[in-house]
């Protein structure tokens, strides 16, 4: 916001009269919720404004408190329910009314899946004008105890002289004090219960930036610090990790580093007897069970034959590339970050897969300039970030692949890229959701495209 707006300075008004007064933060409003938005919040309309109310369900009459307001959009959080939806359940987590992490706990898991399925279908129809020839059943697992990675917020309150430890509140920089989180895998729940007391016992807790927890082939804790850790504080951190059976990693100015240099961290893909090494900061899917089911479905849909060459774009650590390499004659794995390319290649070598070639490329640009793109492929797998893969898919038919699996973490960009693939002669054969983040409105999806 500009300084003149903050201080009430002079500014031009739009034609048609003066601007309506803004809705103040903290104001409470009685609302009738008409439907759910794509992010799971309830939508209501009052005096020309659209209200987005977290914690509310369609058909409910509620009281909501304003968190933020801009223009004709008001963001609010549920305060009271006057008339509840038949779908509403008691949120299992006691921090639900404040924590900004899991915003759908008040909706039964089956209804969460139905909501995500509907959001994907609406995006495909609205943007690309298509529905898949076949809807796949949702891939899901346990609705709690699934998350194998978590970032814990830490902030020193100078005025109160205390350390806040927990997760961010919704639409706020406030930290909700949390020492238990039911979506974490069980071993991390144990670490989380004791973490706040440990950090508050440090002589200089104000140098702690944040803490990340990991569960894989080992448990690990990364401590990001903005100043020098004293010897006594470092000794406390080490002792805690030894007692909890957790690797200690530290990150100051440079890259994360294990305190014990020989320690290794990774995750297993059990159906394929593969182990992939990673370091804190690398991207890994947080839900191990759904990740395995996702890979199995991708391999089933691509149906790679022994003599075929496969292209894996946005390959990361090799999550798809290595299982694909057990079926294909050759896998070309491409990633934008050179360090990740090197780790994917190392993972292929450590698993004795000699038919994986790894390359670095700017995947926000067309592929035609890359030498490996001219060799031709039978099948392609894409697993892009939220921005999607528009530039990549614009000319992807030139690769010659008859089958393409697109794994998406954003239905909007999947729908946009689907339209581009259809223009190139691909048909949307199958699609379905991947419930990677139960209790949240985050939608992951998989789509199969075939030529002809």
């Amino acid at each position: 916001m500009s300084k003149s707006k903050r201080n009430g300075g002079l500014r031009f008004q739009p034609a048609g009269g003066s601007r309506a007064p803004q809705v103040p933060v903290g104001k409470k409003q009685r609302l009738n919720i008409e439907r759910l938005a794509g992010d799971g919040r309830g939508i209501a309309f009052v005096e020309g404004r659209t209200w987005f109310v977290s914690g509310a369900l369609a058909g409910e009459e509620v009281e909501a408190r304003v968190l933020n307001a801009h223009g004709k959009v008001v963001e609010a959080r549920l305060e009271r329910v006057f008339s509840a939806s038949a779908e509403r359940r008691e949120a299992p987590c006691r921090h639900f009314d404040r924590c900004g992490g899991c915003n759908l706990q008040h909706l039964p898991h089956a209804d969460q899946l139905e909501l995500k399925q509907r959001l994907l279908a609406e995006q495909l129809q609205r943007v690309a004008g298509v529905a898949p020839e076949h809807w796949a059943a949702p891939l899901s697992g346990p609705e709690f105890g699934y998350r194998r990675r978590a970032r814990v917020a830490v902030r020193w309150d100078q005025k109160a002289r205390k350390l806040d430890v927990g997760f961010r509140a919704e639409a706020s920089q406030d930290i909700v004090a949390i020492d238990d989180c039911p979506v974490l895998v069980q071993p991390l729940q144990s670490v989380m219960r004791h973490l706040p007391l440990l950090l508050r016992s440090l002589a200089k807790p104000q140098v702690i930036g944040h803490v990340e927890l990991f569960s894989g082939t080992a448990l690990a804790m990364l401590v990001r610090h903005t100043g020098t850790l004293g010897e006594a504080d470092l000794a406390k951190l080490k002792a805690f990790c030894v007692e909890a059976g957790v690797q200690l990693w530290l990150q100051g100015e440079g890259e994360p580093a294990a305190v014990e240099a020989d320690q290794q961290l990774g995750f297993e893909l059990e159906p394929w007897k593969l182990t992939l090494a990673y370091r804190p900061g690398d991207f890994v899917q947080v839900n191990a069970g759904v990740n395995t089911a996702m890979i199995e479905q991708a391999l089933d849909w691509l149906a790679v034959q022994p003599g075929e060459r496969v292209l894996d774009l946005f390959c990361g650590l090799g999550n798809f590339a290595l299982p694909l390499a057990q079926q294909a004659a050759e896998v070309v794995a491409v990633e934008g970050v050179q360090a990740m390319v090197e780790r994917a290649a190392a993972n292929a070598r450590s698993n004795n897969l000699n038919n994986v070639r790894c390359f670095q490329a700017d995947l926000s640009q067309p592929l035609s300039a890359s030498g490996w793109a001219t060799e031709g492929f039978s099948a392609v797998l894409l697993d892009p970030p939220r921005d999607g893969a528009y530039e990549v898919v614009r000319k992807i038919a030139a690769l010659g692949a008859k089958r393409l699996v697109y794994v998406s973490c954003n239905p909007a960009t999947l729908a946009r890229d689907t339209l581009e693939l259809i223009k190139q002669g691909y048909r949307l054969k199958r699609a379905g959701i991947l419930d990677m983040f139960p209790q949240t409105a985050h939608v992951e999806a998989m789509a199969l495209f075939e030529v002809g």
Side-chain angles (χ1 to χ4, degrees), residues 240-305:
F240 173 85
C241 288
V242 168
E243 184 175 352
V246 176
Q247 295 181 7
L248 177 60
W249 292 64
L250 300 176
Q251 184 179 16
E253 292 293 326
E255 293 295 310
V259 170
E260 301 292 337
D262 60 341
Q263 290 181 330
Q264 299 294 317
L265 184 61
F267 65 93
E268 294 180 348
L269 299 177
E270 293 182 5
W272 304 276
K273 296 180 171 56
L274 297 168
T275 300
L276 278 67
Y278 72 93
R279 299 170 62 84
D282 293 347
F283 174 77
V284 293
Q285 296 286 3
V286 302
N287 191 322
V290 173
N291 182 58
T292 295
M294 175 180 70
I295 298 169
E296 289 175 332
Q297 181 169 280
L299 268 59
D300 178 55
W301 288 9
L302 277 180
V304 174
Q305 300 304 304

Side-chain angles (χ1 to χ4, degrees), residues 283 285 294 382-388 406-414 434 436-437 441-446:
F283 174 77
Q285 296 286 3
M294 175 180 70
L382 302 94
D383 184 13
R386 289 189 61 80
D387 290 344
Y406 191 131
V407 179
S408 169
C409 58
N410 184 352
T413 52
L414 171 60
L434 317 171
M436 195 68 72
F437 299 90
H442 184 86
V443 183
E444 302 234 349
M446 183 182 297

